[in-house]
Amino acid sequence: MKTYKKGAIIENIEIAPSIWKMRVDVHLESKPGQFFMFRTPSFRNEPLLSRPFGVCDDNNHELTFLYQVVGAGTEIMAHLTPGHEVQLLGPLGNGFRIDHAADKKIAVIAGGIGIAPLLSLVKNLPNKCDFYAGYTFDPYFVDEFRPYANEVITTSYQNDGVFITDVIDLSDYDIIYACGPNPMLKVIHDMAGDAEVQVSMEAHMACGIGACLGCTVESIDGEFLRVCKDGPVFDSREVFS
């Protein structure tokens, strides 16, 4: 049975407005698309309850997480400094399936903070992909993808009024990997034609291990799937009709 493991923050910096990158010294390994439950026992006498974060990068006994400050919990995270003790449970969930991707034409698509788990993915793909990232405001965390992509294309809805799905011909790809808001994932599924689409779903999680049923999504068959246990990565045909 998995238990929480202690680690120490190496770096915690703001890389764009309300977007933070945290590096943690901890000896845990993961597969692209998996996630960890993150907590810290105390901060100014206020504990940070467990919450899920996809792995951005996994390198040399370091885990990197990208997160957006949107509430009290992530506000606490943004104030954590190097050396602070954190606790991680994982890796959890099912990640992206990449063992059949050799010699396939691949698109990787991010929507906003959905970019977070995709760097680990592109670094582990058997061949280079085309990378697309759509933002509401200015792009961030894009240069890290360039060594692993044939091309990198971004959009900013505030600046140009264009969504990332407006600039992609998805019929040109064999496999599409995507992470972002669920409505964006549905659009990608609808546009993909015969391409295989793997989507990393977003959901609120309390336990991360499938016990609380707080993160269920409905399958096309009317069954309830647990994002933490059955996902977070699904074949889009499982969850979108």
Side-chain angles (χ1 to χ4, degrees), residues 37-48:
M37 297 299 290
F38 176 103
R39 71 185 186 190
T40 185
S42 64
F43 176 74
R44 298 176 182 172
N45 297 317
E46 183 178 2
L48 175 65

Side-chain angles (χ1 to χ4, degrees), residues 8 161 164 177 182 219 232:
I164 194 63
Y177 300 98
N182 291 347
S219 75

Side-chain angles (χ1 to χ4, degrees), residues 95-97 100 105-109 170-171 173-179 182 184-201 232-240:
F96 294 103
R97 298 175 297 282
H100 64 310
K105 188 164 185 182
I106 300 170
V108 176
I109 308 172
L170 293 182
S171 65
Y173 295 97
D174 302 308
I175 304 176
I176 300 162
Y177 300 98
C179 184
N182 291 347
M184 184 197 84
L185 302 181
K186 175 63 164 65
V187 171
I188 292 170
H189 167 81
D190 292 342
M191 294 173 56
D194 295 330
E196 174 188 344
V197 182
Q198 295 183 34
V199 294
S200 181
M201 302 286 288
V233 177
F234 297 95
D235 185 310
S236 68
R237 292 168 293 186
E238 293 181 82
V239 291
F240 298 126

